[in-house]
Amino acid sequence: MTIVSILRSATLAAALLASTAVIASAKDVTISVWSGGSGPNDNYRVDAIEIAADLLEREAAIRGEELNITVQKTPYSGWEEFKQALTLAAEAKKAPNIVATGHEDIGPWAQAGLIVPVEDYIDLDSWPINDIYPNLMEIASFNGTVYGIPQDAESRPFFFWKPHMKAIGYSDAEIDTLPAKVENGEYTLKNVLEDAKKMQDKGLVQPGYGFYPRTSNGPDYWQFYTSFGGLMEEDGKLVFDKAAMQRAYQYFADLVAAGVTKKNHIGMPGDQWWKEVATGKAGIWHGGTWHYARLVNQEGLKDFFDNVQFTLIPAGEGGKANTLTHPLTYLLMAGHDQETTQIAADLVKLASEPRINALHAIKSAHLGISETETKVDLYSADRWASEATERLLPHANAMPNNAEFGKYWTIMWKNLEASWTGAKTVEAAVNDTETELKATLGNSIVIR
């Protein structure tokens, strides 16, 4: 054999070995991500994982590795549908790799073994995780273990229809200073009822439209309990402040008695509610920061700032102005092999980078998860994001990540609705709440 043929054979063998090595190192992986409560403005809850997958593939290529990631995205608009589908998938051992869900699921899901701690897969001291607001990371934890990474933040303000406020005697300057008056306790929930009644008495809105609450159960209603001085948890134990809860129940009974909120308001069609608050058919209402996106994009309220003022939830007797933040968190589901779960965790980490997260924050009108994100041009140039972040987030509290909180919530809501509709007196409703909490939670809750 000539030297040329020897060299040719060696070159061919080397090429074959290199080809085999590439094939051997190539990895194909499918990552599924589900999100709850996600409408048309919330696509980046799942799309961010897809963006992260592209980056992770490119990083692998630079290291000389071939990584092919297929992201299967499943957004659910409804929470009940999402939770039911996830339960069935987990039982069938077909749970997705990543879910974006409310932080209150962390406690019960961790105890049930449905999720694994994200801190086992991500260095929490590395960027961008170490830049996420500490209080959000705390909300994503349970029993001292970090299970999730905040996917977004938000707050839940009160909204006032400016033309109606002017019609009942408020000047432009007074409307401009309303947020500060709410913050310092000068404008309270009592004033909300009074102004709602004035709007109706002037014929600006129909009876029952003066104050237009959320139409279904939700975290929002805990803000009223807080406004009247209630605590949800203290020193790791749930707390039921009977007097504060009675004041909260009484407030909704008073709204109905004054005719500014309908007795049968709960359960009304959501699309009807949205159209009415977007067109001035309602005078004062409460909702979330993400409402801005729907009001402007889907409901056509392009001149939002000319028509709407927003504030913290005003204080009630015994409490202070506040707002509730209900961050969605990325969680890693159990039941997958370590390597795939590590890739899922890497995607969550990448998706948390400021510019990627800002895409979701601005499109969906949520709030950023880090200080750096507020400096991203897309975010800092957005009036709603900037004003809502400054006005609301410093005063935000959150529901506790307590595995028993769901039971508390169910009992609280059932009796609030009963006193609202008149099925029970306020006194009976609060007494029944106490009785049920004692029977259901025992020593897991402190009764005051």
Side-chain angles (χ1 to χ4, degrees):
M1 181 179 287
T2 65
I3 187 68
V4 173
S5 59
I6 291 173
L7 288 172
R8 270 186 195 154
S9 297
T11 302
L12 179 60
L16 287 170
L17 283 171
S19 174
T20 303
V22 169
I23 293 172
S25 67
K27 181 169 181 61
D28 299 319
V29 62
T30 298
I31 300 293
S32 52
V33 53
W34 293 10
S35 65
S38 298
N41 299 316
D42 305 301
N43 59 289
Y44 280 105
R45 284 186 176 141
V46 292
D47 287 358
I49 298 298
E50 195 167 52
I51 295 170
D54 180 64
L55 289 172
L56 200 62
E57 288 175 345
R58 291 171 183 270
E59 289 177 352
I62 289 173
R63 292 193 300 267
E65 304 165 1
E66 186 177 347
L67 177 62
N68 304 304
I69 305 172
T70 300
V71 177
Q72 294 179 341
K73 304 177 294 185
T74 309
Y76 287 86
S77 59
W79 283 108
E80 188 174 340
E81 178 191 11
F82 165 72
K83 298 285 180 72
Q84 183 178 27
L86 195 62
T87 300
L88 292 174
E91 289 175 351
K93 301 192 182 306
K94 295 181 179 179
N97 302 95
I98 303 167
V99 294
T101 189
H103 71 91
E104 72 278 5
D105 291 325
I106 292 175
W109 290 6
Q111 286 197 335
L114 294 177
I115 55 177
V116 296
V118 76
E119 68 177 35
D120 291 349
Y121 296 88
I122 294 176
D123 179 5
L124 302 181
D125 293 324
S126 63
W127 191 85
I129 307 304
N130 62 359
D131 189 46
I132 296 174
Y133 293 122
N135 65 325
L136 292 182
M137 291 301 294
E138 185 178 344
I139 292 170
S141 304
F142 177 66
N143 282 348
T145 299
V146 180
Y147 275 89
I149 299 298
Q151 190 273 323
D152 63 20
E154 43 94 333
S155 291
R156 299 180 181 231
F158 257 41
F159 297 98
F160 298 78
W161 192 256
K162 284 184 177 182
H164 296 340
M165 294 293 280
K166 290 181 184 180
I168 63 172
Y170 284 84
S171 66
D172 287 330
E174 287 172 328
I175 293 173
D176 288 343
T177 59
L178 186 61
K181 288 182 177 179
V182 169
E183 182 180 340
N184 63 31
E186 291 180 53
Y187 186 96
T188 68
L189 286 173
K190 181 181 178 183
N191 299 119
V192 169
L193 193 157
E194 292 169 349
D195 284 344
K197 187 72 165 59
K198 289 175 185 176
M199 291 178 190
Q200 289 186 185
D201 291 345
K202 271 188 165 285
L204 301 168
V205 297
Q206 298 176 29
Y209 282 74
F211 179 60
Y212 223 48
R214 178 187 174 115
T215 63
S216 62
N217 187 12
D220 311 59
Y221 287 103
W222 287 102
Q223 295 172 119
F224 292 89
Y225 171 63
T226 302
S227 281
F228 285 106
L231 284 175
M232 289 176 271
E233 186 183 48
E234 189 174 56
D235 298 328
K237 270 203 168 187
L238 296 175
V239 175
F240 171 61
D241 186 320
K242 186 174 181 179
M245 192 68 79
Q246 182 155 341
R247 290 192 288 267
Y249 285 4
Q250 187 65 56
Y251 185 69
F252 284 91
D254 290 346
L255 291 168
V256 172
V260 300
T261 301
K262 291 178 284 188
K263 179 185 288 190
N264 62 345
H265 181 83
I266 295 299
M268 69 175 291
D271 286 344
Q272 176 188 338
W273 184 91
W274 279 105
K275 184 174 182 179
E276 289 168 344
V277 299
T279 55
K281 289 187 176 180
I284 306 170
W285 68 98
H286 68 98
T289 48
W290 68 95
H291 284 204
Y292 174 83
R294 173 151 181 176
L295 290 171
V296 172
N297 298 329
Q298 277 76 50
E299 303 299 332
L301 186 59
K302 300 301 182 185
D303 50 354
F304 175 90
F305 290 101
D306 291 333
N307 284 294
V308 179
Q309 178 61 287
F310 71 99
T311 73
L312 295 166
I313 299 272
E317 180 189 350
K320 62 182 180 179
N322 72 100
T323 184
L324 183 141
T325 186
H326 178 244
L328 261 64
T329 55
Y330 280 131
L331 303 178
L332 304 175
M333 299 298 290
H336 302 282
D337 65 79
Q338 291 285 318
E339 188 175 8
T340 304
T341 301
Q342 182 61 63
I343 290 173
D346 292 341
L347 295 178
V348 166
K349 180 178 178 179
L350 280 168
S352 303
E353 292 188 6
R355 291 190 68 180
I356 298 177
N357 195 266
L359 296 172
H360 167 72
I362 301 308
K363 182 174 182 183
S364 67
H366 282 79
L367 303 181
I369 61 173
S370 69
E371 181 68 26
T372 303
E373 187 174 338
T374 66
K375 296 177 174 63
V376 171
D377 288 346
L378 180 67
Y379 195 100
S380 63
D382 185 87
R383 179 179 176 182
W384 174 252
S386 298
E387 291 189 13
T389 298
E390 181 180 354
R391 191 176 301 176
L392 302 173
L393 267 191
H395 306 277
N397 59 74
M399 297 182 297
N401 282 351
N402 188 303
E404 302 294 332
F405 184 70
K407 298 173 185 176
Y408 184 7
W409 190 350
T410 298
I411 294 167
M412 173 270 200
W413 171 253
K414 178 178 67 174
N415 286 290
L416 170 58
E417 189 174 16
S419 56
W420 181 330
T421 60
K424 294 180 182 180
T425 65
V426 169
E427 185 177 5
V430 78
N431 285 337
D432 286 350
T433 300
E434 180 181 11
T435 300
E436 292 179 59
L437 288 174
K438 286 179 177 177
T440 305
L441 296 175
N443 293 329
S444 297
I445 190 164
V446 175
I447 308 291
R448 293 179 177 171

